Amino acid sequence: MALAATVAVAACRKAGPPPPPPPTEVSVVTISPTDAEENPEFAGQVEAFRSVQVRAKVSGVITARPFAEGAQVRAGDVLYRIDPTTYSADFRSARARLAETQAQLGNATTSAARLRPLLAEHAVAQQDVDNAESMLQQQSAAVDVARAGVDRARKDFDETVIRAEISGRAGRALLDLGARVSGPGDILTTIDVIDPVYVSFRPSADQQFRWKRDPALRGAMERGGSARVQAVLSDGSALPVTGRIGFIDPVVDPQTGTQQYRAEFASRDRLLLPGQFVRVRLLGLTRHNAIVIPQRAVLQQMGRQTVYVVDAANKIAARDVKASGWTGSSWLIEQGLVAGERVVVDGVQKIGPGAVVKPTQLVSAVAFDDRHLATAGVKAQR
């Protein structure tokens, strides 16, 4: 009986609940506001520095196209020739008409000069002199009209040779030899200046409001401000040169609620071409007293941004945050966190709200990003 009692007691002990598992170890950072460089990114598009559509001002059949498609042309180079036969004839006719009116003007001038002295001697009637003076004025006006006709005919004749208005890269020939040009409505080709080029981007309305509320950011993002614009190519590499904001559209697009910003880039190596899409990254925007946390600490779920914070009892609580931009590979937090709170960085997949954890401080609150290894004094020197 004693042996049976001992076995029963041992069995009861084995059937008891297992001991609770140890708290999950997580690494945390303690929120400490600091100066940080904000590097927001936007979708951008490359535009030609200048683009000109080449059009004919006269109609006719194209008889020559001396330029090569895609080649560099200089201002004044001949691009097209239009059959000049009709315009040459009109020019000669206009000159003949001018010569005729000039002869008539000479005759009227002689007649008026002959009659004026005779009027003082009462050898002719006043009406005759008045008629001669009137004829002189009419012939003078006719000469001006004929001279204008010559100028017009000469211009039309000259327009049969179509020249480049600017220097740049010629585009594809839209009309070629033998085609008939109906007039200015036909585009023959285009000329684009692709060094330098423009890169345009459109920040959201919220982003622009944040810049306007911060005096330092507002000044940096003005036309000619200190902000630098970096173009990131499709392979992820950044263009070696940066641009400056040279134009801000004063009108808000009613369809998107955005304004166009435009920066100018040198493009001697032709890495940026009109129509190309790039990523635009802004440099030199310093946020004071900013809250920065590593990217991996933010959970993206159903359009929400959430982080796990550790309270004084080492319990986990979920917190919705609003990230406004990037600094390096870290988030700039606009709302949801305050100084002194501990945010879980590593181990977020193993925990949930209400869990008790064993927090371990990250090496440094700023060690998660190389951009924050420097002190605020070093950033001020930048």
Side-chain angles (χ1 to χ4, degrees):
M1 292 177 63
L3 179 59
T6 302
V7 173
V9 172
C12 291
R13 289 178 178 175
K14 289 182 180 180
T24 303
E25 292 188 4
V26 294
S27 61
V28 299
V29 292
T30 302
I31 299 300
S32 177
T34 182
D35 291 348
E37 182 178 340
E38 181 181 5
N39 304 124
E41 292 190 0
F42 310 95
Q45 186 172 17
V46 183
E47 303 173 0
F49 180 75
R50 187 172 299 159
S51 183
V52 173
Q53 294 179 338
V54 179
R55 299 174 184 263
K57 295 183 180 179
V58 296
S59 60
V61 177
I62 297 175
T63 59
R65 180 182 65 82
F67 78 97
E69 296 173 304
Q72 184 76 18
V73 297
R74 293 179 297 178
D77 287 352
V78 176
L79 302 179
Y80 286 90
R81 295 184 187 275
I82 296 176
D83 183 8
T85 304
T86 301
Y87 300 100
S88 176
D90 291 343
F91 182 38
R92 293 196 303 271
S93 176
R95 287 193 297 181
R97 176 59 182 164
L98 174 61
E100 179 183 358
T101 56
Q102 286 176 333
Q104 293 173 352
L105 174 62
N107 186 34
T109 302
T110 302
S111 298
R114 185 172 56 249
L115 294 177
R116 288 190 196 102
L118 298 177
L119 180 62
E121 300 175 359
H122 302 286
V124 295
Q126 179 68 45
Q127 184 65 39
D128 295 335
V129 176
D130 293 342
N131 290 340
E133 295 288 352
S134 176
M135 182 60 67
L136 176 62
Q137 294 177 0
Q138 292 178 19
Q139 293 302 322
S140 178
V143 169
D144 289 339
V145 172
R147 187 174 288 115
V150 170
D151 293 341
R152 187 181 302 107
R154 179 187 293 112
K155 184 177 184 299
D156 289 343
F157 178 65
D158 292 340
E159 293 293 349
T160 60
V161 179
I162 302 170
R163 302 178 183 274
E165 297 293 335
I166 62 172
S167 299
R169 187 77 63 177
R172 182 169 62 90
L174 302 179
L175 291 178
D176 218 317
L177 295 179
R180 183 171 187 83
V181 181
S182 61
D186 293 333
I187 301 176
L188 304 180
T189 186
T190 57
I191 300 177
D192 295 315
V193 177
I194 56 177
D195 182 24
V197 295
Y198 290 132
V199 175
S200 62
F201 59 98
R202 292 179 175 273
S204 65
D206 290 344
Q207 184 72 68
Q208 294 180 64
F209 285 141
R210 282 194 293 271
W211 291 338
K212 292 176 181 179
R213 284 195 296 263
D214 190 319
L217 297 182
R218 183 173 61 249
M221 289 302 299
E222 290 178 348
R223 179 179 178 273
S226 60
R228 290 170 289 123
V229 182
Q230 186 178 61
V232 181
L233 305 178
S234 58
D235 61 355
S237 62
L239 200 70
V241 297
T242 58
R244 297 275 186 178
I245 297 174
F247 169 76
I248 301 175
D249 194 339
V251 179
V252 176
D253 187 337
Q255 296 182 350
T256 63
T258 61
Q259 288 177 265
Q260 181 190 34
Y261 284 64
R262 193 177 69 189
E264 181 180 325
F265 285 80
S267 184
R268 297 182 181 87
D269 49 8
R270 303 295 189 268
L271 290 178
L272 295 178
L273 296 175
Q276 180 181 355
F277 289 95
V278 296
R279 295 294 299 172
V280 173
R281 181 182 299 147
L282 299 182
L283 307 176
L285 303 181
T286 302
R287 293 278 298 272
H288 300 291
N289 297 322
I291 295 178
V292 182
I293 61 175
Q295 177 187 0
R296 60 185 184 273
V298 181
L299 303 176
Q300 306 276 354
Q301 296 177 344
M302 302 294 292
R304 297 170 54 191
Q305 297 171 318
T306 306
V307 298
Y308 287 145
V309 296
V310 182
D311 62 13
N314 291 339
K315 282 188 176 182
I316 295 296
R319 182 77 56 79
D320 289 338
V321 296
K322 182 179 180 181
S324 61
W326 295 92
T327 174
S329 60
S330 302
W331 281 110
L332 280 166
I333 303 301
E334 190 75 20
Q335 297 176 2
L337 294 174
V338 296
E341 290 188 308
R342 294 181 296 173
V343 177
V344 178
V345 177
D346 296 318
V348 293
Q349 297 82 5
K350 301 179 292 183
I351 59 176
V356 178
V357 297
K358 181 181 179 181
T360 302
Q361 190 72 22
L362 211 60
V363 177
S364 171
V366 293
F368 48 82
D369 190 344
D370 291 339
R371 291 179 177 269
H372 298 287
L373 291 176
T375 62
V378 175
K379 290 185 178 181
Q381 293 177 4
R382 292 182 184 176

